[in-house]
Amino acid sequence: MQTTLYAVMFYVAAAIFAGGLGLRVWQYARTPVPLKIPTTPAPITRAGATFRVLREVTVFESLFKSNKWIWLFGWIFHIALALVLVRHLRYFTQPVWTPVALAQPLGIYAGFAMVGALFVLWVRRVAISRMRYISDAFDHLILLLLLAIGATGLGMTFIAPTDIVALKGFFLGLMAFNWQPLPADPLLLSHLALVALLMVVFPFTKLLHAPGVFFSPSRNQADDARERRYAPRPLAKA
Amino acid sequence: MAKIAYQKLTDHSSFFWGLLGFHVLVIAAGLGAALYMEHHGHVVTGMSNQIVWGAPHVFAVFLIVAASGALNVASFSSVFNKLAYKPYARLSGVLAIALLMGGLAILVLDLGRPDRLIVAMTTYNFRSIFAWNIYLYVGFIAVVGLYLYVMMDRRVSRSETPTRIVGGFAFFWRFALTTGTGSIFGFLIARDAYSSAIMAVLFIAASFLYGLAFTVLVLLTMSRETRHELISEDMLGKFRGLFILFALAVLYITAVFHLTKLYAPDYREVETFLLRDGGIYTLAFWGGQIGIGLLLPLAILVLRGSGRHAWHAVAIAAPLFLIGGVAQMYFTIIGGQAYPLRLFPGMQVSSSFHDGAIAQYWPSLPEVLLGVSGVSLAMLLTGVALKLLPFLPRQASV
Amino acid sequence: MTEDKSVDEGRRGFLISSVAVATTFLAPGVTLYALGGDAAAAETAPASAKVRWGLLIDAAKCGDGCSACIDACSRAHGWQSTGHPETDPQWVRKITATDPKTGAGFSAPVMCQHCANAPCVDVCPTGASFKRADGIVLVDRHICIGCRYCMMACPYKARSFVHEPVADQKPDAPRGKGTVESCTLCASRIDAGGVPHCVEACKTKGHGAIVFGDLNDPSSDIAKRIATYRSTRIRADLGCDAAVYYTNI
Amino acid sequence: MERIETQDRDESPLYPDPLEIPALAYGAMAKSKPYPASAAHQAALGFPGELVDNWQEKAVAKLGELVANNRALRFYLDGCVRCGACTDKCHYFLGTGDPNNMPVARQNLMRKVYRRYFTLSGRIAPSLVGAEDLTREVLDEWYTYFHQCSQCRRCSVYCPFGIDTAEISMAAREIMDHIGMGQKYCNEIIGKVFKIGNNLGLPPKALKATLAGLEEEIEEETGVPVRLPLDEEGADILLVTPSADFFASPHMEGLIGYAKVLHESGVSWTFSSHASEAANFGMFIGSRENMQKVAQRIADAARDLKVKRIVFGECGHAWRVGYNFLDTLAGPFDFLDRRYPVPQHICEFTYDLIQQGKLRLDKSKNDHIRLTFHDSCNVARASRMGDMPGGQFEIPRAILRACCNHYYDMDPDTIREATLCCGGGGGLLTDELMDLRTKGASPRMKALREVADEHGVTHMAAICAICKAQFSKVLPKFGFDMEAIVSVHQMVSNAIVLTGSKQDEEANEADEQAGPVPAVAAQAETAEPAQAANAQEEA
Amino acid sequence: SQITLAVGEESKLVPHPPKGRGEHCVAATDIMRRNHMKLMKHQRDETVREGVRGKAFSLTGCVDCHAVKGSDGQPVSYADSRHFCRSCHDYAAVSIDCFQCHASRPGSEKPHAAQGIGSTALAAVAAYFQGGSQ
Ligand code: HEM
Ligand code: HEM
Ligand code: SF4
Ligand code: SF4
Ligand code: SF4
Ligand code: SF4
Ligand code: SF4
Ligand code: SF4
């Protein structure tokens, strides 16, 4: 029963996630940038600008300049999230890619780091009046959603393990359109339901910052207005 | 009182990049060595069931001892209110953390099962001084981190009080830490070379010297990098005075240590071995620690330490003290193990397990690389930290 | 510690995963049995604090050139020379001692002395070195990190560090690279009611130089002998309160 | 808020902290609004004269159009994660404590409308994602708070995604203009540029007279006939400068400085009466059309006067438009000499001369001044000078150091790309916003107070007409002298020893030994010919 | 219901660990699949620290019952990918260090564990359980 339910749920969630995200990325890519607006001092070459974006994505450079505490916990959260997701790749690939296999033990600590950092970020949002002022309900909800995903995940790792082999079979089955049974452990079922929810909301919320950061003109433009004439394609008159 | 301005490192000289690159290479080599040791087992090192702690421990203990000493400059300003040292307080905190991390990294990578680091961090035996040390180390990093924070946060640093309180606490902690490190050896009742309470005192005195030497070396290097003198002539004189003071203290305590041991009949044998018949260990002591490490730099500082040569004298003395420090650790850690345990005092013993024999030890390349890479790690961390945050003082007017 | 609950949790996990009412009903029975309900009761009993196992070694009986105890230990536990004398582990070795003044001497096996105040246990940062209720000092090699501090601390040089990868271990004597090991007083044999290999081998050889028994039990052979003959312990001055006694040294 | 009363500093042993985060003062600035533009002002720019009937519909439509045509706006509205990194970065927030002056809160005013009409989540569950209809209250909030943003981009520096609130407030003003809710100050001024050629409405005749007066003044002072030519065809350089330079102190002193430097360089140059204004308020109101029209005047003047180079005077946002947008809006500039960057900043010009050792500067002439430098936002964070990133920080400082002996930087967290706005930028330099301007200036004033107390700094140099005008007004409110603000080229003007001038002769007589030397070791020419050829078209 | 894997369908998507000796494992298959690591760890501590021996979840016991014969008829070691433990661990990217120390093949001595499992009553219960869950 839960196999069918979850199989359908994941097909739908994946479709919304991929479709929605693809649409947004296509929109970002297609929208013109009428003027040169890099925030200076900026790199003066394209390669330099690319490197700048990479630094923003990997080490959150601007955030580091801005606020050491947000940087610390925000960065821990994202790196941990990345590690956890890498660890999760084992459920979707067969045979498992060697680096993914090597990263397995790291993923467990990362799980703790992720949940801990999320918690601090949330406390910050609640405790500081400036943060309260700028937060709307969803800012809290998304943190709680991620916290809940992390908590159910850690629960499976440390309290009530699930049948990983069967679970992996389920997902490989989904991808091969040859359904395999899904174990009926409450923690697993909650974890998966929450993940599906995350996938559904992703393309419609602030989580768009993940693909969007690559499109931010103030960061990805090179500061070369005098060296090469900037002439974007003409505006689409509405 | 004028506010002290600080700077981060910006536009780097190729010298700086070269230095960073060099340290990265050494660290890579050290990691490679650790992997090699992990893969083949410790059989590829010079360590054995007789000499169980080798070159990595020499460097690790040296760095850990130096780490607590590096905090001194900060303590002078916050605890003893010596304002002249205040501009260097941040640097000294950063350096203390970096040196400690360098030392700990070596210790961890030398473990038989480095993969069980998490075990080491989650399972404690509270009777073990070693486990206490883990707390002391982690605590030290936390306390010094907090200390840096109260010094650097715009709002907190406006009042002197937090700096005072946390600085005092950090000062207390550093004593506990060096005492703890010294006690690792002091508590080994079975090893004649160690068992003595003066061990901890000796470590404290030594830490002052090595910590200051590291601080001064970094300041001199960074003066070059920032293209202006970070040490005023006045300060140079102060540092020189401290060097002389600390070096004399180390000399004195070392003398007391060995004299009391020589005085006790039980230990006379091991002392005779170490100080007279120990070959490489005797050489490390007299030539390394006492000669190159204390007397030579003392002579340089006393004879040529003032006037025109002051700068050079300090720049030469600091590394000599550090070389002496490594020699001291080699002599203490390895010399102390080389002398056999006495299971049957007064008897001549032999066995297939090397009972009664002076142990042979020759460090292998991997373990030396691992040890040296700890020093490089400490320097790299310092360099990167100086680049990221304003730890270095800056002359007010440009 | 959370592990203590893991059997219960196993049961709970099982309960959770069972949908059929019938299985839920039966499950406790299944697990109870499965957990070894009717396995030999003696074997599952934990080590008792009432006993303190010890050895009494008579140097006078220990034969010249004999190494039967050492060989037996090595054979049973799988430690042997790999051709690197400096790093090869030796759980037990035979020490020959001569008084330089008189020329008189003795030789006897020395292994872990299973100290009551064991320095190795005191210093071990993780608690991998521990003393069982019955006085046997062991290394829990599952949490030993290989720091070798215990080796620095042991006054008897009783411990060895495994410097090389090990293959083909005995099923009953797991050992592996990167951890510290030493004489276990053949704990698994003692738990099964037997005597240590070395004791057995010496007896088989006809020397009978090693006596094994419960030091706490005044009626035991070993306790009686210690009470009767003058015996000593190595480096008794250090106050480790070893469980291995020697006579005629 | 009483926070800005920082004059009685003596009692407090602590230094004022320019970056001190205030407690939230809800609605503290809700009443601050600029005067609305009159119908005439609106009409001149092609905007409806008063709030149109279907304003809501039109505003939403305009927002949609802007979002569809500006990737920056689209992503900035989508991408903010409410991390809060920017909350304490805006000088208006630091000075007022009004939470709506936190950059993210300012953006949220528009974001909530965007969410409501253009995103799925906002349509389905508005309360969850803070989406709101565009009501009259919301519109009034827009008018209030989008006129409390000086578009200084300080928030953009610190945002992990580079979200630039300036882009959002520009878009908001554009939308409001389109529904007839313009702001008087900006729109009136743009109208003047269209009609007369400059912001001040200085007609060519008056301009001519002013320049002649200045020529006299300089000759009197130095004995050298330095020229200030207007509309001279065939000159090498067209100098465009903010019209304030023709008018008020300390701008005018800067203008004299340019003239002396240009004279000394020996290059021929001219002003244009058609483009007698460097400033481009079209940017402030986010109107591309108006910005384009104003920029076009410069291109036309350059073409008409057959000059080879365009040089901009000291003006922050003018330099941003010149540096980043001019070529896009009014280019290409193939008719200019492409060995020189188009356009060039007067500081770059002066700096090159100093590098080449072509200027004689007597630093001691400025010995009565202990100086600091205020990095103007638009120069610091939206443009560049020289050929290295950050040249906009180094070049003015190098010029100042070459001109005076006592130079001190302010708190490092308040200069260079972290610089604090003067409080009057972005079209807010109008009297009815004096309260806002004062509060917005307070962080900068505290930073100035610090160096004044510590190093006895007496003067602050700036390279922006708005900064200079704003500071002359607010300095006295913080216990400083009104004259404490100086132009960078004013310092040059003080120090420069013109060949053949009275000063020159005095110096020659005095001695040769302590002759003023170029401060910086001479380097090869920095103004490398720009690669004119590869002006690039994007598909 | 679908509590256990449908072992019957020889799907290539999931591994099929070789069947162990005897009828069933030391606990229900479902429990073993989920919890064997915790059960073993618990027993490990009991055995090593307290001297409790002969209980069911002994590693030696697993190795004995789950020995997989190689082509030469001898049990394969953990180095061989056919080893019972590896049949799942490779699939789930789990790496264990147990066999760095422990023998991964049964020894000659008779194992302690699993002696109590002979009971026919238990076998019946287990059979019912397994039958009911397919
Ligand atoms: C390219 C990838 C990404 C980059 C560069 C990035 C960057 C950032 C940055 C700089 C912040 C602000 C700092 C903070 O509050 O943590 C942030 C916040 C956040 N990110 Fe990401 N992110 C990425 C991907 C993701 C993904 C995939 C998720 C979720 C599945 C995510 C979830 C969040 C959340 C929930 C916050 C808000 C934290 C808060 O409430 O304080 N991010 N991200
Ligand atoms: C369809 C996708 C997913 C599946 C099938 C899945 C499944 C699992 C499973 C089975 C575990 C237990 C791991 C173990 O016992 O070793 C787990 C743990 C965890 N999951 Fe997920 N998960 C999914 C998506 C996610 C996502 C998107 C996140 C984060 C936003 C996440 C966060 C975690 C965390 C933090 C843990 C605990 C740490 C760890 O074991 O790695 N999971 N997940
Ligand atoms: S077996 Fe007995 S006799 Fe032989 S060495 Fe050992 S103790 Fe001595
Ligand atoms: S003999 Fe050594 S290893 Fe054995 S218990 Fe005593 S101290 Fe520990
Ligand atoms: S080597 Fe192992 S047993 Fe010895 S002290 Fe270290 S952790 Fe404990
Ligand atoms: S008691 Fe067992 S482990 Fe110890 S020496 Fe004797 S045989 Fe070896
Ligand atoms: S651009 Fe400047 S004025 Fe506007 S919100 Fe950002 S910091 Fe404030
Ligand atoms: S810093 Fe950027 S992402 Fe963070 S709240 Fe401000 S605008 Fe949003």
Side-chain angles (χ1 to χ4, degrees), chain C residues 55 69 72-74 76-77 79 91-92 111 114 182-187 196-199:
Chain C
L55 298 174
C69 53
C73 182
S74 152
H77 301 111
W79 57 267
W91 292 18
V92 52
M111 66 287 279
H114 298 280
S182 62
C183 157
T184 61
L185 210 63
C186 294
H197 288 283
C198 54
V199 177

Side-chain angles (χ1 to χ4, degrees), chain D residues 179-201:
Chain D
I179 57 171
M181 210 177 176
Q183 173 222 20
K184 172 170 177 255
Y185 174 67
C186 285
N187 293 6
E188 182 180 19
I189 279 182
I190 298 172
K192 277 191 210 155
V193 175
F194 290 155
K195 217 160 118 209
I196 306 169
N198 54 55
N199 287 0
L200 294 176

Side-chain angles (χ1 to χ4, degrees), chain C residues 112-115 118-120 137 154-156 158-159:
Chain C
C112 169
Q113 308 287 301
H114 298 280
C115 312
C120 59
V137 174
C154 172
Y156 303 99
R159 294 201 156 175

